[in-house]
Amino acid sequence: MNGSRAMVKSLLDGLLAGVKDSNGVDMAVFPPFPYLSETRGMLEGSPITWGAQNLNPVAKGAHTGEVSAGMLLDFGCSHVLVGHSERRTLYGESDQDVADRFEAALAAGLEPVLCVGETLQERESGATEQVVDRQLQAVLDRCGIGGFKRAIVAYEPVWAIGTGVTASPEQAQAVHEFIRDKFVSQDDIIAGQLRILYGGSVNGSNAADLFAREDIDGGLVGGASLKANDFLAIRNAVA
């Protein structure tokens, strides 16, 4: 819940100045709902796509304050985040709630970005793989392996989000490999094509080392995405 119209315009102006073509790198921004129209107006026709931070799985009806997949499509969204750690921890979204949103996004033609990750307590107790497996399995049970033909997974350790503490490249790669292997066991083609992003205090200094790892395909960028130069430095670490 960051930003203003002026801030969004300044950020997007900066990104557009630094991204003249895709150069083989997919880049998307996920503004708060009120700024989707302005984002579309500025980015349409550019190499940068846009998505939303959440959606309600119900198509329409009396759900005051909520936003449906169809509404997001009206604003040209191509992606939507589902299961972000803040939605899980602050707003009580369960694994089943996340699966509902993932399924609704797919049905509407949006590409869901499924966020998974453990808390510090869970990591310290050795439960990282158990937690990530449970979060993934809830969606697999609902949508099957085929649902991941056009989806993205983002590993975001809760203990590294907005704290300045980043999982080491080795720690991040270990979890990404675990995720990849889980999908390989069901369909090695889908597993090989699946993009798995790392999110958790990614910045221009650590991005290249993280993205050099075999199973880390890019980043889900938080605080560093609020400043164009910082965001572009991370993008350029992929290019």
Side-chain angles (χ1 to χ4, degrees):
M1 203 163 64
N2 293 299
S4 63
R5 290 188 67 193
M7 177 268 193
V8 169
K9 184 178 186 307
S10 175
L11 173 63
L12 296 183
D13 278 339
L15 295 181
L16 288 168
V19 181
K20 300 302 183 184
D21 55 64
S22 68
N23 197 26
V25 177
D26 292 331
M27 185 177 190
V29 296
F30 295 81
F33 292 136
Y35 307 125
L36 282 174
S37 180
E38 190 155 359
T39 298
R40 178 180 188 173
M42 293 186 67
L43 295 184
E44 206 157 27
S46 81
I48 306 173
T49 58
W50 58 96
Q53 297 178 4
N54 195 25
L55 81 163
N56 189 294
V58 179
K60 61 181 179 179
H63 295 273
T64 301
E66 294 297 296
V67 175
S68 71
M71 293 174 179
L72 300 182
L73 291 172
D74 269 349
F75 285 94
C77 291
S78 57
H79 298 75
V80 61
L81 301 179
V82 296
H84 190 281
S85 63
E86 290 164 5
R87 299 299 311 177
R88 294 179 189 264
T89 58
L90 298 180
Y91 297 97
E93 290 184 8
S94 67
D95 293 338
Q96 296 309 311
D97 292 329
V98 174
D100 289 343
R101 285 161 168 74
F102 188 99
E103 183 177 43
L106 285 180
L110 293 165
E111 185 169 2
V113 181
L114 171 63
C115 303
V116 299
E118 82 284 11
T119 64
L120 180 60
Q121 181 180 5
E122 289 165 338
R123 170 164 281 273
E124 290 179 340
S125 67
T128 294
E129 291 185 358
Q130 179 183 347
V131 170
V132 170
D133 183 75
R134 187 200 74 227
Q135 293 170 339
L136 292 171
Q137 193 61 49
V139 178
L140 283 165
D141 288 344
R142 180 68 57 82
C143 300
I145 185 65
F148 287 85
K149 287 182 179 178
R150 51 186 181 92
I152 296 169
V153 173
Y155 169 59
E156 44 162 20
V158 179
W159 49 272
I161 299 172
T163 63
V165 178
T166 311
S168 70
E170 293 77 18
Q171 287 174 319
Q173 166 59 23
V175 180
H176 280 240
E177 183 179 10
F178 170 78
I179 294 171
R180 184 90 62 194
D181 286 347
K182 180 175 178 64
F183 286 96
V184 166
S185 69
Q186 300 198 34
D187 189 305
D188 58 354
I189 294 177
I190 291 176
Q193 296 173 343
L194 179 67
R195 288 179 291 179
I196 308 175
L197 312 181
Y198 172 77
S201 297
V202 181
N203 57 53
S205 299
N206 60 33
D209 199 4
L210 285 164
F211 300 161
R213 306 295 157 150
E214 181 178 358
D215 293 299
I216 302 178
D217 301 314
L220 180 65
V221 186
S225 69
L226 300 177
K227 296 182 179 179
N229 287 340
D230 293 344
F231 201 178
L232 290 169
I234 295 169
R235 177 192 181 275
N236 291 337
V238 182

